[in-house]
């Protein structure tokens, strides 16, 4: 389905559809022809008109008019650079597309449990290396073509053949050996080894099923979800339109508009002024009192998968030294930082796990705040005379605010951090893609993303065989209990080695205007899922 607004190809805009400005046409009224009519005549005409019955009073029904569109407007922070989630790692893409436009075989609900979606059910072999999915025969793409076993196989084979796939997806895809259609509604996926994580991965970007007949999905909407991409006004918004032929429960809105704000205060003002229905995640927690009127607003508090991480580039000579990493961790008063930056909304963490993960433990004091001990460790490591590092952060509220606190506290132990703020696309390219940084701050928002620290090519460049072995053993464990035990050991290893500096877990703070219902308390996936949202 082609976009309906403006798309950008090769840096040039290509208008695909035009929207006329609304105006009032000038009527051919007799008074126009007789511009010298007396004021008395005009007054008489008006008086006579006032005495005439209205159409309702005279029993004449109002002329029929088109029903008003049901439009939901959602305020968000980071705009997608593309509509292609397979070649861009930005979480803002699945925020809009996952479950709303592209569906998956299975879906994670707000409690973190895996539920059926395109697959009605599935079976797992005794050795946990073969999964048989039974597809919903009603499922179809927006094009009308069926979401059948052949389509699922085509998607997996497309990803396996894609040399430009993002590194994260390549890492997740590696465990899949093959996919085969048994019949139109049954597909078998074979794994190279048992994996605790892979089904969760298949509930997210990796598992998005695209219509095999689609072309370039950065310019075309090709999903099976209740909505389709209708337009992307660069720098402003993304519009979803209701998929009128959706195979499941229909979307409740004719259009959903995601509006993007670089300034959180401007987003707050837009909700206060009635221009928004929802703030998808409040980026100025100190503004919560503005929404205290429960007759106008509802505040939903919960958790997310987001770990706000002060990332340390292990390819930087000084940061390859665990004692230096521990010194930097000791230099940061994270309790003060959380209070200053995020109004104490969130939970202090000490490793790559959030409170809703089954292997979560409070490890926030593993390397405690101790600036004098930090100075001693830096001296032992040969940096008594100081250390200079580049702190490159994306321009998002939590990162830019936290950077100022980090700068000040590192300076107190003799570390000079030069702050550079980058727009998010540039941050993705230069920091995430090229590793051109020493320190950075970003929220890792994918579910159960501990395994990224087992990939030395990932931008953190954590090359720790002990951790990698623990993670691999946990992923392949025979029982869930064994897996959780090993995951806890893996988390402790990261904390002990100060592989990064974990600042806090991001809360889910959603603000809605009165009458909006169905917003989930916990954000357990990358999706801003519209499935249950309604306006009463």
């Amino acid at each position: 389905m082609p976009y309906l607004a403006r798309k950008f190809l090769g840096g040039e805009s290509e208008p695909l559809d035009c929207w006329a400005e609304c105006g009032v046409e000038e009527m051919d009224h007799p008074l126009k022809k007789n511009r010298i009519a007396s004021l008395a005549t005009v007054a008489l005409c008006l008086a006579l008109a006032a005495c005439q019955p209205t159409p309702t009073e005279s029993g004449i029904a109002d002329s029929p008019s088109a029903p008003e569109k049901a439009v939901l407007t959602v305020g968000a922070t980071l705009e997608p650079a593309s509509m292609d989630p397979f070649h861009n790692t930005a979480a803002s893409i699945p925020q809009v597309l996952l479950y709303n436009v592209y569906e998956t075989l299975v879906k994670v609900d707000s409690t973190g449990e895996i539920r059926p979606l395109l697959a009605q059910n599935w079976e797992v072999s005794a050795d946990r290396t073969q999964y048989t999915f039974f597809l919903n025969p009603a499922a179809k793409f927006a094009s009308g073509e069926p979401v059948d076993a052949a389509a699922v196989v085509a998607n997996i084979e497309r990803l396996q053949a894609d040399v430009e796939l993002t590194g994260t997806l390549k890492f997740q895809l590696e465990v899949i050996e093959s996919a085969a259609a048994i019949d139109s509604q049954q597909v078998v996926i074979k794994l190279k080894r048992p994996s605790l994580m892979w089904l969760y991965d298949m509930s997210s970007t990796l598992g998005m099923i695209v219509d095999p007949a689609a072309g370039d999905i950065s310019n075309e909407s090709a999903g099976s979800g209740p909505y389709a991409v209708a337009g992307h006004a660069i720098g402003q918004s993304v519009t979803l339109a209701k998929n009128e032929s959706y195979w499941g429960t229909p979307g409740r809105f004719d259009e959903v508009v995601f509006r993007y704000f670089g300034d959180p205060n401007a987003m707050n003002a837009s909700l206060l002024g009635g221009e928004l229905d929802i703030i998808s995640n409040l980026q100025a927690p100190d503004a919560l009192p503005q929404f205290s009127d429960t007759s106008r607003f509802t505040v939903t508090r919960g958790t997310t998968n987001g770990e706000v991480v002060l990332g340390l580039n292990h390819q930087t000579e000084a940061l390859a030294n665990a004692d230096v990493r521990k010194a930097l961790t000791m230099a940061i008063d994270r309790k003060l930082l959380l209070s200053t930056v995020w109004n104490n909304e969130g939970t202090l963490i000490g490793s790559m796990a959030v409170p809703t993960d089954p292997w979560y433990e409070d490890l926030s004091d593993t390397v405690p705040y101790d600036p004098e001990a930090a100075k001693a460790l830096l001296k032992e490591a040969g940096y008594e005379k100081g250390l200079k590092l580049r702190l490159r952060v994306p321009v998002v509220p939590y990162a830019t605010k936290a950077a100022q606190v980090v700068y000040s506290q590192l300076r107190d132990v003799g570390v000079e951090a030069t702050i550079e703020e980058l727009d998010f696309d540039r941050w993705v390219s230069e920091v995430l893609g090229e590793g051109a940084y020493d320190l950075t701050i970003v929220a890792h928002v994918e579910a159960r993303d501990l395994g990224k620290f087992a990939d030395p090519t990932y931008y953190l460049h954590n090359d720790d065989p002990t951790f990698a072995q623990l993670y691999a053993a946990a992923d392949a464990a025979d029982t869930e209990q064994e897996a959780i035990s090993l995951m806890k050991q893996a988390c402790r290893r990261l904390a002990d080695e100060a592989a990064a500096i974990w600042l806090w877990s991001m809360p889910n703070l959603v603000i809605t205007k009165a009458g909006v219902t169905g917003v989930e308390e916990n954000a357990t996936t990358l999706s801003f899922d519209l499935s249950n949202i309604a306006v009463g």
Side-chain angles (χ1 to χ4, degrees):
M1 183 180 294
Y3 291 178
L4 298 179
R6 299 174 69 90
K7 66 179 181 179
F8 285 69
L9 300 173
E12 298 181 356
S13 64
E14 178 184 354
L16 295 183
D17 196 13
C18 298
W19 297 91
E21 291 186 359
C22 295
V24 179
E25 295 182 0
E26 190 175 12
M27 297 177 64
D28 187 14
H29 195 284
L31 291 178
K32 178 181 174 183
K33 296 178 179 178
N34 186 6
R35 298 182 184 276
I36 60 172
S38 68
L39 290 174
T41 303
V42 173
L44 177 61
C45 291
L46 292 173
L48 289 172
C51 294
Q52 300 302 312
T54 66
T56 302
E57 291 169 341
S58 63
I60 302 173
D62 291 332
S63 59
S65 59
E68 189 174 342
K69 279 186 175 180
V71 179
L72 182 76
T73 306
V74 181
T77 303
L78 291 173
E79 178 187 1
S82 161
M83 291 293 110
D84 178 0
F86 302 106
H87 302 102
N88 188 309
T89 58
S92 54
I93 304 174
Q95 180 188 40
V96 173
L97 300 183
L98 181 61
Y99 306 151
N100 300 323
V101 175
Y102 293 103
E103 296 180 306
T104 49
L105 295 174
V106 295
K107 176 179 181 176
V108 173
D109 68 14
S110 63
T111 68
E113 296 296 322
I114 294 179
R115 305 294 184 193
L117 188 50
L118 290 172
Q120 291 180 309
N121 51 72
W122 58 95
E123 296 175 352
V124 185
S125 65
D127 65 357
R128 296 174 47 235
T129 62
Q130 182 169 297
Y131 287 69
T132 303
F133 294 93
F134 301 88
L135 305 180
N136 192 319
K140 61 180 180 178
F141 294 106
S143 66
E145 291 298 311
V147 182
D148 56 17
V152 175
V153 172
N155 270 264
I156 290 175
E157 291 179 345
R158 172 181 57 83
L159 294 175
Q160 289 177 324
D162 189 348
V163 296
E164 296 182 353
L165 201 65
T166 67
T168 294
L169 295 181
K170 285 180 181 177
F171 184 78
Q172 294 173 348
L173 187 67
E174 186 274 334
V175 72
I176 299 177
E177 181 177 295
S178 65
I182 302 304
D183 57 33
S184 63
Q185 304 305 319
Q186 291 186 56
V187 61
V188 173
I189 298 177
K190 292 184 178 180
L191 307 185
K192 297 174 184 176
R193 60 184 180 277
S195 172
L196 176 72
M197 292 294 197
W198 94 276
L199 198 57
Y200 283 94
D201 293 337
M202 288 293 286
S203 73
S204 193
T205 305
L206 182 70
M208 287 183 183
I209 304 298
V210 179
D211 189 337
D216 180 2
I217 64 169
S218 64
N219 301 309
E220 185 176 5
S221 184
S224 61
Y227 296 93
V229 179
H232 185 182
I234 304 297
Q236 299 178 46
S237 63
V238 171
T239 300
L240 304 183
K242 185 177 181 178
N243 175 4
E244 297 293 349
S245 61
Y246 182 55
W247 62 275
T249 302
R252 292 178 170 86
F253 305 98
D254 298 307
E255 288 184 354
V256 178
V257 180
F258 287 82
R259 282 185 56 193
Y260 297 99
F261 296 83
D263 180 358
N265 295 316
M267 180 156 51
N268 296 345
S270 292
L271 181 59
L272 290 166
E275 298 174 20
L276 297 177
D277 298 302
I278 300 175
I279 290 177
S280 59
N281 199 342
L282 188 69
Q283 295 295 297
D286 55 350
L288 277 169
Q290 296 180 38
F291 305 104
S292 60
D293 184 349
T294 55
S295 69
R296 295 183 63 200
F297 306 106
T298 299
V299 178
T300 300
R301 274 186 168 92
T303 63
T304 74
N305 293 315
E307 302 104 343
V308 182
V309 178
L310 175 53
L312 310 175
N313 188 346
H314 292 219
Q315 289 188 333
T316 298
E317 182 180 356
L319 302 179
N321 185 330
D323 284 341
V324 173
R325 299 196 300 268
K326 290 175 184 177
L328 299 188
T329 306
M330 291 175 176
I332 308 299
D333 185 346
R334 286 168 286 166
K335 290 182 180 178
L336 176 64
L337 184 144
L338 180 59
S339 173
T340 303
V341 174
W342 223 239
N343 203 37
N344 273 328
E345 298 285 348
T347 303
L348 293 175
I349 56 175
S351 191
M352 200 66 172
V354 296
T356 50
D357 288 336
W359 43 82
Y360 171 78
E361 295 180 296
D362 182 2
L363 301 175
S364 57
D365 285 330
T366 302
V367 184
Y369 173 60
D370 188 341
E372 293 306 315
K375 292 177 184 177
L377 277 178
L378 288 170
K379 180 179 179 180
E380 291 175 16
Y383 296 101
E384 182 181 8
K385 295 183 179 179
L387 174 62
K388 294 183 178 181
L389 297 169
R390 298 171 298 165
L391 174 54
R392 309 186 80 200
V393 298
V395 181
V396 289
Y398 67 84
T400 54
K401 290 180 181 179
Q404 297 300 323
V405 177
V406 168
Y407 165 83
S408 176
Q409 295 189 341
L410 290 183
R411 183 182 58 189
D412 290 343
V413 299
V415 176
E416 181 182 339
T418 303
I419 298 175
E420 184 179 0
E421 297 181 357
L422 311 175
D423 70 70
F424 201 78
D425 289 342
R426 188 178 167 199
W427 183 91
V428 169
S429 174
E430 297 183 13
V431 176
L432 186 63
E434 300 172 11
Y437 79 104
D438 299 316
L439 311 172
T440 191
I441 300 172
V442 75
H444 289 250
V445 294
E446 289 185 314
R448 305 188 177 193
D449 48 4
L450 180 65
K452 291 185 175 180
F453 280 80
D455 179 7
T457 67
Y458 192 55
Y459 82 108
L460 298 162
H461 302 294
N462 181 59
D463 192 1
D464 180 358
T466 300
F467 170 79
Q469 289 167 11
L470 283 169
Y471 179 80
D475 190 39
D478 291 330
T479 67
E480 184 174 354
Q481 184 177 3
E482 182 186 358
I484 290 173
S485 175
L486 288 167
M487 285 294 184
K488 286 182 177 180
Q489 293 180 47
C491 285
R492 292 184 201 124
R493 174 69 181 183
L494 290 180
D496 290 340
E497 291 295 305
I501 303 174
W502 288 273
L503 302 179
W504 75 91
S505 66
M506 190 69 81
N508 194 38
L509 296 173
V510 183
I511 317 296
T512 59
K513 72 177 186 181
V516 176
T517 60
V519 173
E520 300 290 358
E521 179 179 321
N522 298 322
T524 54
T525 73
L526 294 175
S527 171
F528 189 80
D529 191 350
L530 301 168
S531 302
N532 297 316
I533 296 177
V535 177

